[in-house]
Amino acid sequence: MSKQGKLKIIPLGGLGEVGKNMTAYEFQNQILVVDAGIMFPRNDMLGIDYIVPDYEYLRQRADKVVGIVITHGHEDHIGAIHHVLNDISAPVYATRLTRGLIEVKLARHNGASKAILQTVEAGDSVQIGPFKVEFFHICHSIPDAVGLGITTPAGLVVHMSDFKFDHTPVDGWPTDYAKLAEFSRRGVDLLLSDSTNAERPGWTPSEMVIGPAFDKVFAEAPGRVIVATFASLISRIQQVSEAAAKHGRKMALAGTSMVDNVKIARKLGYLNIPDSVIVPLEQALQMQDHKVVLMCTGSQGEPSSIVGRLSAGTNRQFDLKPNDTVVLSSHPIPGNEESISKTINRLLRRGANVIHDGLAPIHVSGHASQEEQKLLLNFVKPKYFLPIHGELRMLKRHAELAIEVGIPEKNTIVVENGQVVELSGGKIKIGERIPGGYVFVDGQSIGDVDYDIMRERGKLARNGIFLIDVSVDKMNGRLLHDPEIITRGFVSPEDAEEMIPEVRQRIMDVVNGGGWDNEKDIVNAVKSYLYEETKRRPMVLVTLSKA
Ligand SMILES: [Zn+2]
Ligand SMILES: [Zn+2]
């Protein structure tokens, strides 16, 4: 079959980072979007709730978007969907569970009414504009995840989102190997595949290995068991409920995202928890400690999560007890190691016993390791390979694995967000560059907080602030009264008390001496004095009024 037309592959998120996955495919001026995820902020992104992909490219072509396909219900794949649907009105295609989780999210953000949601099933083939999309089942740490075969006249692309080759998955539904082989027979022009664990040798263990580890924890815990994980890690919630039933404990859910997700997953039949095992949180808090397990969020040490608040002693509904066993059932997302470590120390300090994946196999990755990635490459035998989902080092390592299994080096394409790749005439070439950065979400504000603000916040956080109010006589340019000075986060109150009269004197010298033009000169005089005294540079703000 001769290949016609040009398919643009547009990575908007997830390439060069872990999280906020989003890829667009463009053919004959029509665009198919795959996934719309968020990323959790790093420690240095102060005050940021989460980050969404920069999809300005799509916003400018909103009328050309023919569909949005979501591969599974994790936050790094669905988290930005309500933002995207505010700008783009295209139908969203997802499997039942994924759709259910999207609906929960949309309801929370009042976006449910506008959205057009289409349910698909693994095995379906749907024509979306010029894109024939074949959905096939893959294993991951959430049920109902799919990979995609995307056919256009330009060729066949296999888009493998998060996956693992688990032969004994929690839901008993292994990856559709036959479909992968079928694609291979047809001839795959390009494979995109998850690189999260490209640096991890061997095979990712089956979800099943967690069972015995949880058994041990549940058997040995003297008091309550508090399991923290992601609210969308549905398979883990299933496993915890099974351990609870086995050890005669009742399970309760804390936090709205956990409660809502479990509700929808149970309703749709993807979570099989008997009514006799699950109790409302209020009831669990009244029960004997060794009879309960609480499920909540916060396995990444997020300060606003329940475990984050428990560690700080600021959780409203319940507090830690000395005999509690806290299980952090997830692996640190790169960049979160420090905050997780802090959280563990705080939990220990408050008397809890803490079990994390460094101590017991209470978590396995949902992502393929090297041997599985190689197996996928061998199954699919693509002509070209484009690693996705990962920091640059992971993408590079994944490309090396592809070369090891026989894909020519020139046919592996390592790019980061914003670098368009084009497939035409059965050949790949690097296309234009478009924006592919971060859009910060801070409360109600989306994209208003930029790197300048982030730098300012960093400066404030590191060095504190000096606020100075200066009023001058507009006739003679002299001070009307002594400058008013407040400082926070810079030096101790005692030191500040000593320093402020000195600062006041400097300002009076500068202003009354006449050697100044504007606020900047006052700021600089104060800064240089403070630097001499402390070798530090706080933020100095001067408000100047003339009367
Ligand atoms: Zn995932
Ligand atoms: Zn993911």
Side-chain angles (χ1 to χ4, degrees):
M1 194 183 81
S2 72
K3 307 275 162 75
Q4 287 163 357
K6 179 165 73 181
L7 175 72
K8 283 194 204 175
I9 299 104
I10 306 161
L12 295 168
L15 281 76
E17 64 198 355
V18 172
K20 71 175 176 68
N21 298 299
M22 189 179 209
T23 311
Y25 293 89
E26 185 171 347
F27 188 82
Q28 285 172 346
N29 251 332
Q30 296 181 78
I31 298 172
L32 178 77
V33 180
V34 176
D35 290 330
I38 56 164
M39 183 161 95
F40 295 104
R42 292 194 316 258
N43 282 348
D44 58 345
M45 296 173 179
L46 299 160
I48 297 303
D49 300 328
Y50 57 87
I51 303 150
V52 298
D54 182 345
Y55 57 88
E56 186 57 30
Y57 185 89
L58 300 179
R59 204 179 282 127
Q60 285 173 7
R61 296 163 181 79
D63 55 325
K64 303 198 164 69
V65 178
V66 291
I68 301 167
V69 173
I70 306 293
T71 58
H72 64 284
H74 283 159
E75 284 297 315
D76 57 326
H77 298 260
I78 69 167
I81 191 75
H82 54 290
H83 296 293
V84 174
L85 290 179
N86 266 338
D87 297 311
I88 296 161
S89 60
V92 178
Y93 298 83
T95 58
R96 279 175 70 236
L97 176 63
T98 309
R99 178 190 170 139
L101 295 169
I102 291 171
E103 281 172 336
V104 167
K105 182 165 288 296
L106 291 176
R108 207 176 299 151
H109 294 95
N110 303 317
S113 52
K114 286 182 292 185
I116 313 153
L117 303 182
Q118 307 277 7
T119 306
V120 293
E121 262 181 64
D124 283 356
S125 171
V126 182
Q127 191 72 36
I128 307 171
F131 308 93
K132 185 177 100 179
V133 182
E134 292 167 86
F135 297 85
F136 59 97
H137 183 69
I138 54 169
C139 280
H140 185 34
S141 48
I142 186 169
D144 227 6
V146 286
L148 312 167
I150 302 171
T151 305
T152 62
L156 169 59
V157 178
V158 172
H159 185 114
M160 200 72 167
S161 185
D162 298 351
F163 78 100
K164 69 191 284 188
F165 286 150
D166 191 341
H167 303 304
T168 49
V170 176
D171 64 356
W173 190 3
T175 298
D176 188 350
Y177 301 104
K179 191 70 190 181
L180 291 171
E182 186 203 318
F183 285 136
S184 173
R185 272 198 302 280
R186 272 193 252 160
V188 175
D189 295 283
L190 172 67
L191 170 69
L192 284 71
S193 165
D194 168 23
S195 311
T196 308
N197 279 347
E199 295 179 316
R200 195 183 285 198
W203 293 79
T204 301
S206 167
E207 301 284 318
M208 281 299 165
V209 307
I210 299 172
F214 268 110
D215 260 353
K216 192 163 180 295
V217 171
F218 277 61
E220 291 172 3
R224 300 186 300 189
V225 177
I226 300 174
V227 181
T229 192
F230 296 109
S232 57
L233 209 49
I234 303 291
S235 309
R236 192 63 38 83
I237 300 170
Q238 178 70 49
Q239 288 169 303
V240 171
S241 74
E242 285 166 16
K246 193 166 163 189
H247 293 273
R249 288 177 185 254
K250 302 283 184 200
M251 174 163 131
L253 307 160
T256 45
S257 53
M258 194 65 89
V259 170
D260 291 349
N261 285 356
V262 167
K263 199 160 142 194
I264 189 81
R266 285 182 82 201
K267 191 176 128 196
L268 296 174
Y270 290 95
L271 252 182
N272 180 16
I273 309 177
D275 287 337
S276 59
V277 172
I278 209 156
V279 296
L281 181 61
E282 301 73 33
Q283 192 181 327
L285 295 177
Q286 303 302 322
M287 292 170 60
Q288 285 178 293
D289 290 345
H290 68 280
K291 290 284 180 199
V292 293
V293 50
L294 309 178
M295 286 239 51
C296 61
T297 56
S299 55
Q300 296 290 313
E302 313 92 303
S304 61
S305 67
I306 291 187
V307 162
R309 294 200 303 255
L310 284 174
S311 76
T314 57
N315 193 46
R316 262 183 304 158
Q317 228 176 343
F318 62 98
D319 201 0
L320 270 188
K321 292 184 184 178
N323 267 337
D324 284 346
T325 300
V326 180
V327 182
L328 302 180
S329 184
S330 79
H331 188 68
I333 293 172
N336 288 355
E337 294 84 354
E338 196 187 323
S339 71
I340 294 173
S341 175
K342 273 188 196 154
T343 305
I344 292 173
N345 285 326
R346 286 200 195 108
L347 291 166
L348 290 170
R349 202 166 290 134
R350 306 197 75 243
N353 179 25
V354 182
I355 295 170
H356 53 85
D357 79 335
L359 292 178
I362 38 83
H363 174 71
V364 291
S365 174
H367 301 268
S369 298
Q370 290 178 351
E371 293 308 311
E372 294 153 281
Q373 291 172 336
K374 286 193 253 180
L375 183 57
L376 175 73
L377 284 154
N378 273 330
F379 256 128
V380 176
K381 291 202 187 313
K383 185 169 175 196
Y384 292 95
F385 176 58
L386 172 57
I388 57 172
H389 301 182
E391 294 178 4
L392 186 56
R393 50 189 272 189
M394 304 163 190
L395 304 179
K396 283 256 188 222
R397 188 72 193 97
H398 204 179
E400 285 165 19
L401 295 176
I403 295 163
E404 277 174 37
V405 301
I407 297 191
E409 187 173 352
K410 63 178 177 35
N411 289 11
T412 64
I413 308 118
V414 175
V415 296
E416 293 187 271
N417 296 339
Q419 179 58 65
V420 177
V421 172
E422 297 174 359
L423 173 67
S424 83
K427 290 210 160 40
I428 286 273
K429 74 180 219 288
I430 299 293
E432 64 188 307
R433 251 211 96 88
I434 60 154
Y438 290 176
V439 175
F440 296 114
V441 179
D442 178 2
Q444 289 293 331
S445 115
I446 301 138
D448 299 333
V449 175
D450 58 12
Y451 278 103
D452 287 340
I453 296 180
M454 207 59 70
R455 261 191 297 276
E456 273 184 11
R457 286 183 182 178
K459 212 168 161 197
L460 274 170
R462 279 190 300 275
N463 292 319
I465 188 168
F466 244 85
L467 276 175
I468 300 165
D469 184 57
V470 176
S471 311
V472 296
D473 186 327
K474 65 179 166 195
M475 301 304 284
N476 61 19
R478 294 179 67 86
L479 286 164
L480 284 169
H481 54 75
D482 282 359
E484 285 169 37
I485 300 172
I486 302 172
T487 178
R488 289 288 183 274
F490 174 53
V491 290
S492 70
E494 295 76 30
D495 287 351
E497 217 165 289
E498 261 177 48
M499 217 170 261
I500 284 172
E502 278 296 325
V503 172
R504 195 172 283 134
Q505 191 55 51
R506 297 287 165 125
I507 297 167
M508 283 154 72
D509 292 349
V510 171
V511 176
N512 292 339
W516 66 292
D517 286 323
N518 52 36
E519 294 97 323
K520 267 227 162 91
D521 297 316
I522 303 173
V523 169
N524 288 338
V526 173
K527 273 189 175 166
S528 67
Y529 165 72
L530 292 174
Y531 186 74
E532 273 166 38
E533 288 294 306
T534 64
K535 294 285 173 278
R536 286 171 52 203
R537 300 179 202 279
M539 187 176 283
V540 176
L541 292 181
V542 170
T543 57
L544 177 66
S545 52
K546 295 184 179 182

